[in-house]
Amino acid sequence: MKNILELNNVNVSFHTFAGEVKAVRGVNLHLEKGESLAIVGESGSGKSVTSKSIMRLLPEKTSEIKEGEILFEGRDLTKLSNREMEKIRGSEISMIFQDPMTSLNPTMTVGKQIMEGLRKHQNLSKNEAKERAINLLKLVGIPNPELRINEYPHQFSGGMRQRVVIAIALACNPKVLIADEPTTALDVTIQAQILDLMRDLQQKTGTAIILITHDLGVVANLSQRVAVMYGGTIVETGTTDEVFYNPKHPYTWGLLSSMPKLNSADKELMAIPGTPPNLLNPPKGCPFAARCPYAMQVCVDNMPDVTDVTSTHKTACWLLDERAPQVEPPEAALVGGAR
């Protein structure tokens, strides 16, 4: 299938009083039409910065895309003006943010907030936009949409507000939908409903989804491919089955080991010791080396090359070098039947 979105050697920095924070370093990713890609990792790994770079939503005065290209249908988004990006945001690429209460304007009815994008990007009349907004509320599972379209965000529960945010994101039939921690602020039952809704909507609309999350359970339920991010870099990519059942990077092992499993309720969860690297002065070698129990001197001194495990599975780790010692993943990282 043809890639609808490609990130090639993307580097993003923030300029602070303490110095330059190199938040994203040499990221390469692609997204095919209609597929779902999850980007996972700890807080501070660069997931949200990567997604906001695609949308060009980073603050202009304090951040910059220093290098690389972000190709959407062959157009480099980093070269577009703000006015050109405004035509793409919400229309062809949309974003769902993690907190629905702060994503919605409390002074406007939800109907007006859905209609706003429709009238701007699709030139619909007020009545046409209202009818489309009602259909969108119905599509995302909000009962009595003809009445609720006139209500304000505070009159909706957290789960219903997130459904409204999804309706706004889907209003103009975007080709790419970026969901940044879409279920973080919701309880477990509502999380499951929102994930079912997103899976169902993707099947109906064919929209490609980038899911930003630290929750591996969410990944297993929604995504076809996974990119594991650490220290501003991509350390492993592959299909969901490859990353869950045949992980190759020690950081991925650590993430999987820290995931609760149904058959191990009485066991203590594993934790990755140490802290993420300081990106004011990023390490010259593998960013995970300082926390990796298998690190060698070469890991500290040199950034590893990306190794092809299969045609779809790639890992940046010196342990895959033929000269490295043979290391097996810890038992806790073997997902087995946990999915």
Side-chain angles (χ1 to χ4, degrees):
M1 296 177 68
K2 187 178 179 182
N3 295 335
I4 191 170
L5 185 69
E6 288 183 30
L7 278 67
N8 298 318
N9 192 35
V10 172
N11 291 263
V12 181
S13 289
F14 289 89
H15 301 289
T16 71
F17 289 117
E20 181 184 347
V21 178
K22 298 174 182 177
V24 171
R25 302 181 296 139
V27 163
N28 295 287
L29 285 174
H30 71 274
L31 180 71
E32 296 179 356
K33 291 182 178 179
E35 81 161 341
S36 54
L37 167 70
I39 305 177
V40 303
E42 291 170 282
S43 296
S45 59
K47 308 183 303 296
S48 292
V49 174
T50 300
S51 66
K52 288 178 181 177
S53 299
I54 296 170
M55 295 286 286
R56 294 267 305 277
L57 287 175
L58 296 173
E60 289 187 6
K61 291 183 179 179
T62 57
S63 67
E64 64 172 320
I65 300 173
K66 296 199 71 173
E67 191 178 346
E69 55 184 12
I70 301 171
L71 301 178
F72 173 66
E73 295 188 320
R75 299 174 71 192
D76 188 352
L77 300 183
T78 67
K79 300 288 195 294
L80 300 186
S81 66
N82 285 333
R83 179 163 291 188
E84 289 172 318
M85 276 305 302
E86 284 176 4
K87 295 178 181 178
I88 291 175
R89 286 192 209 107
S91 175
E92 298 188 74
I93 306 176
S94 285
M95 194 163 186
I96 302 169
F97 297 96
Q98 59 179 288
D99 186 351
M101 199 59 210
T102 56
S103 300
L104 296 170
N105 186 333
T107 67
M108 292 173 63
T109 65
V110 298
K112 280 188 177 180
Q113 293 185 63
I114 299 172
M115 291 162 62
E116 192 174 37
L118 289 167
R119 300 200 70 186
K120 179 177 181 179
H121 292 297
Q122 299 199 340
N123 296 319
L124 299 183
S125 69
K126 188 173 181 180
N127 287 337
E128 289 171 333
K130 184 175 181 180
E131 184 178 347
R132 170 76 173 146
I134 290 171
N135 288 333
L136 282 163
L137 289 177
K138 190 181 298 181
L139 180 68
V140 298
I142 292 182
N144 304 315
E146 297 86 356
L147 300 175
R148 306 218 68 181
I149 194 174
N150 298 311
E151 294 182 354
Y152 291 85
H154 73 270
Q155 295 174 277
F156 290 74
S157 67
M160 288 296 179
R161 284 196 292 265
Q162 192 63 297
R163 289 170 185 262
V164 172
V165 170
I166 293 172
I168 293 171
L170 292 173
C172 298
N173 298 315
K175 296 170 183 176
V176 175
L177 178 64
I178 301 172
D180 189 356
E181 302 275 10
T183 61
T184 295
L186 307 174
D187 65 55
V188 176
T189 305
I190 304 302
Q191 280 187 24
Q193 293 176 10
I194 295 297
L195 291 175
D196 287 342
L197 170 64
M198 290 181 65
R199 191 185 304 111
D200 184 51
L201 290 173
Q202 184 181 32
Q203 291 172 353
K204 289 179 179 177
T205 63
T207 300
I209 294 177
I210 296 177
L211 175 67
I212 310 295
T213 185
H214 62 268
D215 187 336
L216 293 175
V218 170
V219 173
N221 282 311
L222 191 65
S223 299
Q224 295 160 293
R225 284 194 307 115
V226 180
V228 182
M229 199 163 186
Y230 182 79
T233 67
I234 300 295
V235 297
E236 185 162 9
T237 58
T239 66
T240 302
D241 280 346
E242 285 171 335
V243 172
F244 270 73
Y245 291 97
N246 189 30
K248 293 297 183 183
H249 198 283
Y251 179 61
T252 311
W253 298 348
L255 291 179
L256 292 170
S257 298
S258 64
M259 185 173 68
K261 299 175 179 63
L262 294 176
N263 59 358
S264 59
D266 58 334
K267 295 181 181 178
E268 187 176 343
L269 286 178
M270 300 279 290
I272 303 173
T275 58
N278 180 359
L279 296 181
L280 278 165
N281 185 25
K284 63 179 181 178
C286 173
F288 190 58
R291 303 173 73 186
C292 180
Y294 315 102
M296 303 169 286
Q297 189 59 44
V298 68
C299 303
V300 177
D301 294 339
N302 298 286
M303 185 73 81
D305 294 328
V306 175
T307 301
D308 290 343
V309 182
T310 70
S311 61
T312 54
H313 190 184
K314 303 176 187 297
T315 305
C317 181
W318 283 112
L319 289 176
L320 272 69
D321 191 284
E322 60 183 14
R323 296 164 293 179
Q326 293 297 309
V327 175
E328 294 296 324
E331 184 180 350
L334 303 176
V335 174
R339 272 185 69 192

